[in-house]
Amino acid sequence: MEDIIVLNNVWKKYNIGSSKKLTETISSFFSSTKEKNFWALKNISLEIKKGEVIGIIGPNGSGKSTLLKILSGISFPSKGYLSIDGKVASLLELGTGFHPELTGRENVYLYGAILGIDHKLIKHQFDQIIKFSGVGKFINTPLKHYSSGMYIRLAFSVVTHLDFDILLIDEVLAIGDAQFQKKSFAKIQEINKQNKTIIVVSHDLQNITKLCDKVILLKNGRIEKVGTALDTVNYYQKL
Amino acid sequence: MQDFVKIIKIWQYRQLLYFLTIKEIKVRYKQAFFGIAWAILTPLSQALVFAFIFGILLKTQINNIPYLLLVFSGFTFWNFFALSISSATSALTGNTNLVTKSTFPKEILVLASVFGRLPDLLASLTMLLIMLAFYQINFSMQLLWIIPMFAIEVILALGIGLFFAAANVYFRDITALVPLLLMLWLYLTPVVYSLSLIPKAYQFFISLNPMTGILEGVRGSLFLQKSPDISALILLMCISLTIFIINFILFKKLEKGFADII
């Protein structure tokens, strides 16, 4: 099968001095040494094939989220080569762009547009999105009156019903109540059956093992191990 | 050229632009008792204060145009410009989440913040036309010239807005600088006065400001049933387009760093 994602010696440098948010995320690395540049990713080379489900695990600050940001095209590598052959939907956070003053219905369309999905397609899938989310009659209520569970369910439902080749997920597996978790897990597996590529970042090793064909372990911005889900997770637990 | 092609990409995201613009408008007036009436109350109160000071106290009279009308028309078009730029300035820094977690071209955010000011302008413009009728000023087809004039103003506001939006990501000083700059710019633009009031020796310098040409053109068509000088109109359009294109290219160059820096 063809490679849908190729990374060749990708490096990512952050300038620690100038960013507030960044210092938060990497504060664990920020020891007494006054280094101005921080390499969040070091020499990452990867090939991901169409239809694969890839898990990315590793301790906090190992570069998992940076890698997802680069794969989704939000950040760009400082060095190295990156090629992605397909439409990417990135779920770095559920409901990015949701606005509390707008109704559920308005937010579905807004969110779809933010993800770059055609209006007609959302319209076509609208009823299914609502049904899956279980939001029901609240669809015409402003989002600020939603419970956090309803909010998350609606966002997840929008993303997973839309058309893409590659789905990037950051720590959003464990959402909603137990029942919805089961449903969303099944949904991701169903998406994978349609030969879509899925990349999941998570600390939930149990779900990662169940879901992924291949798991990558990142540590200090480098790939520490690549292997089958069980192999890598076992290796990680022994670290 | 490569950057220029990216302008076409805006078209692919027109749906998003539409939704974000609607969102801007809805969110601004939700839970505001006066709602869109603010779009009229703001320039009207500004015009009344100036009409009181200059029109009544100092008895300023310009080209036989009622001074209140002159100032109201000035603020109608100036406020759109100034509010567009101040909205644009925070279009990226006020949407950190969208900048760091989504992939659409970020100029959409700037465009939406400027387009979101259109209903305000339309409301204020309606009020202006009512006042025109009240003062029994003749309407004529020349009135339509305000459309190209306004188009030039939108392009200019977008160009400047793109610059400040991107610069603000890198330096938050811009947040403090822009209101000051807009205030100084207001004084140097014939909003509460007219170009004819400026001594000949200085008229040239005031005319270097594209907003001068826009406001003078608008007033000519509104109050004097006069069509603007076509070559001046074309020159204004070229200046605005140039400002827009340069800043668009600059914006696209800086965009790659937005998610890392913001």
Side-chain angles (χ1 to χ4, degrees):
Chain A
M1 254 194 284
E2 73 212 277
D3 287 337
I4 192 162
I5 298 173
V6 177
L7 275 83
N8 221 336
N9 306 321
V10 165
W11 295 68
K12 179 66 186 177
K13 180 173 72 178
Y14 281 118
N15 193 324
I16 297 174
S18 64
S19 169
K20 291 169 291 175
K21 246 194 148 170
L22 201 69
T23 41
E24 286 165 21
T25 42
I26 55 176
S27 55
S28 50
F29 286 88
F30 197 63
S31 54
S32 57
T33 50
K34 284 219 167 116
E35 214 185 323
K36 272 205 97 181
N37 290 331
F38 170 76
W39 290 95
L41 291 178
K42 297 167 192 156
N43 208 14
I44 302 286
S45 294
L46 267 181
E47 285 110 36
I48 295 170
K49 289 186 172 40
K50 198 170 181 317
E52 275 187 319
V53 183
I54 306 289
I56 302 176
I57 57 173
N60 280 327
S62 55
K64 303 187 297 291
S65 295
T66 306
L67 183 56
L68 271 200
K69 270 191 183 170
I70 285 183
L71 289 175
S72 58
I74 294 167
S75 279
F76 298 86
S78 311
K79 279 198 281 186
Y81 168 82
L82 162 78
S83 136
I84 293 172
D85 184 25
K87 189 166 172 50
V88 180
S90 55
L91 255 177
L92 298 192
E93 173 196 67
L94 275 174
T96 302
F98 265 17
H99 200 285
E101 293 289 350
L102 302 180
T103 67
R105 179 184 302 273
E106 289 166 330
N107 270 304
V108 167
Y109 284 106
L110 175 64
Y111 194 33
I114 284 171
L115 294 167
I117 310 292
D118 190 62
H119 181 70
K120 282 184 211 120
L121 187 78
I122 304 170
K123 213 169 188 169
H124 183 70
Q125 296 269 38
F126 192 80
D127 292 337
Q128 272 171 287
I129 291 173
I130 302 313
K131 197 171 161 231
F132 187 85
S133 73
V135 168
K137 61 180 181 188
F138 286 97
I139 194 62
N140 291 319
T141 307
L143 220 63
K144 62 181 173 183
H145 300 306
Y146 278 38
S147 71
S148 55
M150 283 161 71
Y151 180 101
I152 292 277
R153 267 154 35 206
L154 186 64
F156 182 87
S157 189
V158 174
V159 182
T160 49
H161 281 83
L162 301 176
D163 181 41
F164 51 83
D165 305 308
I166 303 160
L167 178 64
L168 306 176
I169 309 177
D170 193 356
E171 284 299 354
V172 288
L173 283 175
I175 51 167
D177 52 19
Q179 199 196 344
F180 192 77
Q181 273 184 38
K182 227 168 155 184
K183 216 164 112 179
S184 59
F185 198 82
K187 182 77 193 170
I188 291 178
Q189 284 176 321
E190 183 200 315
I191 290 168
N192 178 236
K193 285 209 187 84
Q194 298 158 15
N195 205 21
K196 307 255 163 107
T197 309
I198 302 174
I199 300 176
V200 191
V201 162
S202 182
H203 288 293
D204 184 347
L205 297 178
Q206 207 187 341
N207 271 333
I208 284 266
T209 321
K210 267 198 276 176
L211 200 63
C212 302
D213 310 319
K214 200 160 97 180
V215 174
I216 297 161
L217 172 62
L218 284 181
K219 208 184 146 196
N220 296 334
R222 286 183 194 280
I223 294 182
E224 177 88 8
K225 185 172 170 62
V226 184
T228 63
L230 217 55
D231 277 357
T232 314
V233 168
N234 282 339
Y235 178 89
Y236 180 44
Q237 280 169 332
K238 278 183 210 140
L239 272 185
Chain B
M1 196 59 213
Q2 201 191 346
D3 288 301
F4 203 70
V5 174
K6 284 173 186 155
I7 292 184
I8 299 160
K9 227 183 161 183
I10 297 174
W11 178 247
Q12 292 168 9
Y13 280 88
R14 60 193 184 279
Q15 204 72 50
L16 177 62
L17 177 58
Y18 171 76
F19 283 125
L20 287 176
T21 305
I22 296 292
K23 188 197 91 176
E24 282 281 317
I25 297 163
K26 274 196 175 160
V27 169
R28 180 143 22 96
Y29 291 119
K30 274 225 167 124
Q31 295 202 349
F33 180 72
F34 285 111
I36 190 92
W38 279 113
I40 297 170
L41 291 174
T42 308
L44 195 61
S45 57
Q46 287 166 312
L48 284 172
V49 169
F50 277 99
F52 176 69
I53 298 171
F54 292 106
I56 296 176
L57 299 186
L58 300 175
K59 299 198 169 38
T60 311
Q61 183 61 266
I62 299 166
N63 299 340
N64 288 324
I65 302 167
Y67 185 69
L68 181 69
L69 265 189
L70 184 107
V71 182
F72 188 80
S73 66
F75 276 114
T76 294
F77 285 87
W78 172 262
N79 285 354
F80 171 81
F81 182 70
L83 291 172
S84 291
I85 290 176
S86 59
S87 303
T89 302
S90 56
L92 298 173
T93 49
N95 287 303
T96 319
N97 233 8
L98 285 178
V99 174
T100 56
K101 303 234 163 68
S102 56
T103 51
F104 64 85
K106 297 303 176 297
E107 62 270 23
I108 301 286
L109 284 170
V110 179
L111 263 69
S113 69
V114 172
F115 292 162
R117 292 289 173 183
L118 286 174
D120 286 21
L121 179 101
L122 287 177
S124 182
L125 198 59
T126 311
M127 183 67 196
L128 181 62
L129 294 179
I130 293 170
M131 286 165 76
L132 231 62
F134 181 78
Y135 279 95
Q136 296 177 328
I137 290 178
N138 292 330
F139 289 89
S140 74
M141 287 310 278
Q142 305 302 334
L143 202 75
L144 293 177
W145 281 109
I146 63 173
I147 295 168
M149 286 293 173
F150 180 63
I152 294 171
E153 185 181 342
V154 173
I155 293 167
L156 184 67
L158 282 173
I160 295 167
L162 281 168
F163 175 80
F164 284 131
N168 204 16
V169 171
Y170 289 83
F171 309 102
R172 292 300 145 85
D173 314 63
I174 302 294
T175 308
L177 177 71
V178 166
L180 173 68
L181 216 63
L182 286 172
M183 192 175 70
L184 298 179
W185 198 339
L186 165 67
Y187 298 150
L188 292 173
T189 305
V191 174
V192 301
Y193 54 90
S194 150
L195 188 62
S196 58
L197 236 61
I198 303 286
K200 277 265 178 309
Y202 300 103
Q203 276 194 6
F204 174 73
F205 294 101
I206 297 289
S207 303
L208 282 179
N209 167 8
M211 279 307 284
T212 300
I214 292 168
L215 285 186
E216 288 293 309
V218 163
R219 280 173 180 156
S221 66
L222 277 175
F223 304 131
L224 311 171
Q225 294 86 41
K226 216 174 72 183
S227 57
D229 180 19
I230 295 298
S231 58
L233 191 77
I234 291 170
L235 181 68
L236 264 179
M237 183 55 112
C238 289
I239 292 172
S240 296
L241 272 175
T242 309
I243 291 175
F244 174 79
I245 291 168
I246 290 174
N247 286 308
F248 182 80
I249 292 170
L250 186 70
F251 186 93
K252 295 312 278 183
K253 291 251 182 289
L254 293 174
E255 189 182 25
K256 290 198 162 185
F258 286 168
D260 297 342
I261 304 281
I262 203 165

